[in-house]
Amino acid sequence: MIPLIILTNGVLCDSIYRTAALLFGEQPNVHLISSANLAPKEISNRIGKIIDLPECREHGVLIAVDLKGGSTWNVACKSAHENKHVAIISGVNLPMLLSFFNRRESGNLNEVVDSLIDAGKRGIDKYMC
Amino acid sequence: MPFSLVRVDDRTIHGQVVLGWASFIAPDRIILCNDQIASSDWEKELYESSFSDSGTEINVFTRAELQQYARSEKHSKERCILLVESLQDALDLLDLNIPFKTLNIGGLHFCDGKQELTDYIFLDDDDVECLKELQSRGILIEGQDIPSAKKVNVMKLVSENI
């Protein structure tokens, strides 16, 4: 099972995980980090400890952040640099998380990341009368 | 050349700056002055490409490149936001003859050993020394994370709380 870190600004990480859990049930191996009040160095330390866990080393680990180019993205990219078992995706949304929780037991990290990005994009559509 | 905003922010180039301050100031350019990031190709690329569709030029400069930029006639009319990562870096700008009168403290967030001043300003003893030195050199120090937030008198809070 691929572990997950959700790293966002403000309360988004808690809210989006809580909402996914309403649909999918509580999930193991999920780490929530809000960047609120935390220096990049402190966030980086917290990420570093998680990505070094044996289950992350064994299965790979996904870091889902909210905003590409924002502080969460920058810190995640810097923390994961030269760690080939870490994947980072930006623009986290509910369809992505649901796809991830559905597939993370069976797929490898690359496949799971590709399919969750696809699910995230497919979850954005329009309907105009 | 005068900078439109000189800001200390440990998150450097990020949403509050590129989305918040840039829409308020409408700068031609945002510069992060940081020797370490500017000399690492992948980190420089990470920051310079971070908001590539924002319409604002984003550069990571070494101190030498910043001096060159500030002296250049070609850029003298530009509106520019200048970012540094720490109070020591802000103090160093004065020694590089980069002139500014007001320093915006936009974010010095929590890490071990830092004391809370506001929810986005946490300081240790070295930070307080830097602030006092900046003040003694005539710099006005204002806390303000985003343009819509109220400005905070940082030195007053320091004298009351630390």
Side-chain angles (χ1 to χ4, degrees):
Chain A
M1 174 183 283
I2 299 166
L4 170 68
I5 300 171
I6 309 177
L7 167 64
T8 70
N9 289 276
V11 299
L12 180 61
C13 55
D14 292 286
S15 303
I16 200 165
Y17 171 67
R18 289 274 122 237
T19 309
L22 282 179
L23 300 165
F24 233 79
E26 293 289 336
Q27 296 292 311
N29 288 330
V30 176
H31 306 267
L32 306 177
I33 305 175
S34 164
S35 67
N37 301 353
L38 298 180
K41 191 169 73 176
E42 178 67 26
I43 300 170
S44 191
N45 286 343
R46 294 185 189 191
I47 293 174
K49 281 181 189 151
I50 298 168
I51 66 178
D52 261 348
L53 292 170
E55 60 268 32
C56 294
R57 291 269 166 207
E58 186 180 346
H59 301 288
V61 53
L62 176 69
I63 308 178
V65 308
D66 45 3
L67 187 62
K68 187 184 174 194
S71 57
T72 53
W73 171 260
N74 292 336
V75 173
C77 290
K78 287 169 94 162
S79 307
H81 188 61
E82 292 180 347
N83 279 291
K84 289 201 163 58
H85 69 297
V86 182
I88 303 161
I89 58 112
S90 63
V92 61
N93 65 20
L94 202 51
M96 281 181 180
L97 286 188
L98 298 179
S99 164
F100 176 77
F101 290 139
N102 210 10
R103 289 167 189 269
R104 69 166 167 165
E105 295 235 39
S106 50
N108 72 35
L109 185 62
N110 285 343
E111 293 162 2
V112 170
V113 166
D114 284 345
S115 67
L116 81 88
I117 288 175
D118 190 41
K121 287 179 179 169
R122 276 187 287 110
I124 300 170
D125 211 339
K126 66 177 179 184
Y127 171 79
M128 298 167 89
C129 296
Chain B
M1 62 166 288
F3 288 93
S4 304
L5 178 77
V6 178
R7 172 175 170 104
V8 179
D9 189 337
D10 57 7
R11 295 176 179 175
T12 65
I13 297 164
H14 68 122
Q16 285 185 346
V17 176
V18 183
L19 306 174
W21 283 95
S23 44
F24 182 67
I25 290 175
D28 301 299
R29 190 185 299 271
I30 296 170
I31 296 173
L32 166 62
C33 179
N34 188 298
D35 282 348
Q36 185 262 320
I37 296 173
S39 55
S40 158
D41 286 345
W42 77 270
E43 279 188 71
K44 187 176 158 75
E45 166 71 17
L46 176 70
Y47 285 98
E48 290 187 338
S49 67
S50 55
F51 285 92
S52 48
D53 54 357
S54 68
T56 308
E57 183 83 13
I58 298 176
N59 300 122
V60 183
F61 283 169
T62 61
R63 292 170 182 212
E65 286 167 336
L66 178 67
Q67 283 179 303
Q68 207 171 10
Y69 171 84
R71 277 198 304 263
S72 153
E73 280 289 319
K74 190 176 146 201
H75 302 297
S76 61
K77 297 261 165 43
E78 277 190 2
R79 292 172 66 78
C80 180
I81 294 175
L82 175 60
L83 303 169
V84 290
E85 194 177 26
S86 69
L87 288 165
Q88 183 62 54
D89 286 351
L91 198 50
D92 292 349
L93 290 177
L94 294 175
D95 297 330
L96 295 171
N97 291 317
I98 303 295
F100 60 97
K101 293 193 173 72
T102 304
L103 181 65
N104 165 255
I105 311 294
L108 289 169
H109 296 87
F110 174 77
C111 61
D112 267 350
K114 303 234 178 188
Q115 195 180 333
E116 181 168 0
L117 195 70
T118 74
D119 60 358
Y120 59 90
I121 305 176
F122 294 75
L123 304 172
D124 62 19
D125 293 347
D126 290 343
D127 293 326
V128 173
E129 285 310 306
C130 283
L131 283 170
K132 287 179 178 164
E133 178 64 21
L134 283 158
Q135 187 183 37
S136 77
R137 297 213 209 169
I139 305 298
L140 176 65
I141 300 158
E142 294 177 336
Q144 192 180 21
D145 54 351
I146 52 174
S148 59
K150 198 165 173 281
K151 283 179 189 169
V152 171
N153 184 333
V154 172
M155 297 317 287
K156 184 161 175 279
L157 276 185
V158 166
S159 66
E160 287 165 1
N161 295 285
I162 293 182

